[in-house]
Amino acid sequence: MPTITMFLICFLLSLLLFLIPTKIMKIPCPTLTMLRVRGKQEMVGMEQYLPREVLSNILTRLPVKDLLKCKCVCMSWFDLLTDPHFIANYYAVHNNLQSQEKHLLVIRRPFSSALKTYISVLSWNVNDPKKHVFSYDLNPPCEFNSKHKYWTEILGPCNGLYLLEGNPNVLMNPSLRQFRALPQSHVTSPIGFYFLTDYAGFGFDPKTSDYKVVVIKDLWLKETDERKLGYWTAELFSLNSNSWRKLNAAVPFSTEIRGSSPVYTYVNNCCHWWGFVDESGRKEDVVLAFNMVNESFRKIKVPSLRSSSKDESATLAPFNEYGTIGVIVYPVRGKEKSFDVWLMKDYWDEGSWVKQYSVEPVEAIHKVVGYYGSNQFLWSSSNNGLVWYDCEAELERIKDLEVCGTNGSSRAARYMESLVSLKGRNEFSCQFFHVARLIPNSIDQRESSNFPIC
Amino acid sequence: MVITAKGKEILEIAEEPEYVMLAKVEDLKMDMLRIVEEEEIKKIRLKTSDEATFEVEPSILKEMKRVQSLINTEAIDTSVAIPLPNITSRNLSRIIDFCWEHQYNTENLEEFKGRFLKSLNHQELKELLLAANYLNIKTLFDFLCNSFTDLIQNESPEFIRDFFNILNDTNSVKSMHAPAFQGSIDDD
């Protein structure tokens, strides 16, 4: 019996000895396998996932509507697509990938009886032998469809954002389908006066990473309905704060503004208006500049570029890759128009204005209504059509874009794809466009591409 | 070799002021490039991850910016095969094919590109893209990036996930950071 008990005890002890180490061993075991599994996953991941810079290169080639879908693929893609560096790089690279493809943002009022403004995107390929122009309309949210809502100027592109000047002023990113009305301003006119005309400027302040809109208002005396010449009130809207504030910077005394420029002239962080000063009865052309960073005005002297404002029109435009400003001078009347291009060689030197070149008379151009890029301009024709004119093109200098806007209502700017969002800066809602296939066109039946809503 | 002799010259001028030195180094680099170009007869050998050795013509080698910079800057002994541990022999032969056609086949290049693309499945396409990225071959890299873009354009997120073999981790994270992510979802 004792031997049996001894044997049993020995057996139990040996069992324990065997069991304990395995029990001890068993504790690290799961972590080991976990590690191994994780290691394997990482390895698989390395094989399957593309490095961020390679992925970024692929995605930069996609249009914004596809990138919105890509945001939902996985978190790392979402991170990449919302990274400010990617967004900035996308804007700079994507829009210059295919230089033979042209994209235009156009606003126009096709019917003379109504104020309704159509917003459309026109696209064509320079090498297309059939010379088709594809187009689609961007329909603003329905509350903007009233009779009294309209737009007269396009200010942009500024990192892919556009300000539509009109009633009301709106900011939009057409590629993200974002459309946002600016809030009501609270600046009131001095007692006994009222505001009549607004002149807007739009730009990006890199110092505060803010988009700003500046509006200059003229002053009218209530009693006599007379304008108080040379007096202005200016206010500034900041997208980051989503609010207006009154600007204390004074508009240089006695400067008058001739009107909003049909060409977006945002150069060296300054927006510009074409104006004049009254020098003892003689009206001398000047450029009024507003610096979005310093928030200050500047008057830029202009030499005498034209015989008189009655006979010759002048339109401000950016030149030298947005390095400086220039003026296109052309006769008001006449079927054929020649035009001169003047520019400031050095943007910071008033004395550096030179006549850069002259263009021989061109038929079918009537008025400058937009700017595309280096010497490529949009003109309206005498029968209200929209015409593309490229001074440097060897073959097709002039192209009829086959859209029309009554009473000189057409404006055009380069359309650029951008991920810069009007949302997310604060809690304010911002509505979306609907994209429509149709374009009711009073002069022609054109092909319009189907642009699906993603 | 001539290159090493030039290398000595670089050492000798190291005591001169920086701007002079930079200019001289640039000159020397240009000289070296010319020397490499002159050695047309000499093919360079590349060794892939599976130990296969390829003799590559200098004109093809020029496309491979990474190998080119290795040869130019490090004064590598070109009699020994340069190892390319990230690239398989199959991919290298495809790359050489592509570079050759890109240089000499000016007439049917588009047709060749079509055939080239058809012969690859998704996994091979990805591998080749990484190889082109590693070797820094701009023409091939751009071509493959464009091909990827064409393949995923107008497709759903599910398709893209399948295509790149990506796990959908957006749902779990969405519940954690709901407000931050919602904006992007309703953008869609």
Side-chain angles (χ1 to χ4, degrees), chain A residues 83-346:
Chain A
D83 180 350
H85 294 290
F86 178 84
I87 292 174
N89 182 62
Y90 176 80
Y91 182 70
V93 175
H94 178 84
N95 292 298
N96 294 314
L97 278 175
Q98 274 157 333
S99 56
Q100 72 275 20
E101 276 180 21
K102 307 288 179 193
H103 304 278
L104 265 191
L105 181 73
V106 176
I107 60 168
R108 64 200 175 91
R109 292 193 291 275
F111 312 110
S112 52
S113 54
L115 278 173
K116 184 173 164 59
T117 314
Y118 286 80
I119 309 168
S120 13
V121 177
L122 309 184
S123 311
W124 70 96
N125 190 313
V126 178
N127 300 329
D128 178 16
K130 287 182 184 163
K131 302 186 174 162
H132 273 165
V133 180
F134 296 92
S135 64
Y136 56 89
D137 272 11
L138 296 165
N139 290 346
C142 47
E143 60 265 41
F144 294 96
N145 280 340
S146 110
K147 267 192 235 162
H148 309 290
K149 313 274 182 189
Y150 60 91
W151 296 287
T152 52
E153 304 290 344
I154 305 174
L155 279 73
C158 178
N159 298 338
L161 301 186
Y162 299 81
L163 175 81
L164 295 187
E165 197 183 349
N167 179 36
N169 287 340
V170 296
L171 277 174
M172 65 169 185
N173 178 334
S175 46
L176 279 175
R177 315 258 175 277
Q178 291 177 342
F179 194 89
R180 173 169 165 168
L182 299 190
Q184 280 290 317
S185 109
H186 298 296
V187 174
T188 48
S189 54
I191 298 160
F193 290 93
Y194 63 94
F195 298 135
L196 190 69
T197 328
D198 284 359
Y199 301 106
F202 168 55
F204 178 67
D205 173 2
K207 224 172 175 179
T208 53
S209 293
D210 197 3
Y211 292 89
K212 294 177 178 176
V213 177
V214 61
V215 171
I216 310 176
K217 297 165 184 260
D218 55 5
L219 274 184
W220 291 69
L221 198 67
K222 269 185 190 162
E223 225 179 280
T224 54
D225 275 340
E226 270 177 8
R227 233 201 97 194
K228 201 158 162 50
L229 287 171
Y231 282 87
W232 301 92
T233 301
E235 54 179 333
L236 191 94
F237 171 79
S238 131
L239 186 61
N240 283 349
S241 70
N242 194 52
S243 62
W244 290 94
R245 69 185 148 85
K246 198 172 175 213
L247 261 184
N248 294 321
V251 178
F253 190 69
S254 80
T255 315
E256 293 299 324
I257 295 171
R258 287 196 194 269
S260 289
S261 174
V263 173
Y264 180 59
T265 314
Y266 192 66
V267 167
N268 293 321
N269 299 324
C270 297
C271 47
H272 302 85
W273 298 270
W274 185 242
F276 64 90
V277 284
D278 207 330
E279 294 270 341
S280 54
R282 266 193 72 236
K283 286 176 179 175
E284 287 195 5
D285 292 328
V286 289
V287 173
L288 180 65
F290 177 74
N291 189 315
M292 286 288 181
V293 180
N294 309 336
E295 299 184 354
S296 61
F297 287 96
R298 181 166 78 109
K299 196 160 78 178
I300 302 171
K301 277 187 189 159
V302 180
S304 140
L305 311 175
R306 50 180 182 167
S307 51
S308 78
S309 59
K310 263 190 219 157
D311 298 327
E312 284 183 301
S313 300
T315 303
L316 268 174
F319 283 93
N320 297 352
E321 307 290 321
Y322 293 93
T324 189
I325 56 168
V327 179
I328 306 163
V329 182
Y330 56 96
V332 173
R333 283 169 286 269
K335 264 195 169 178
E336 284 189 334
K337 291 192 176 176
S338 58
F339 59 93
D340 296 337
V341 173
W342 289 74
L343 57 86
M344 277 174 101
K345 279 273 181 204
D346 171 8

Side-chain angles (χ1 to χ4, degrees), chain A residues 23-38:
Chain A
K23 264 191 179 170
I24 294 166
M25 281 300 287
K26 259 186 188 166
I27 301 161
C29 258
T31 46
L32 260 181
T33 46
M34 281 256 295
L35 274 176
R36 231 174 272 146
V37 167
R38 209 180 291 158

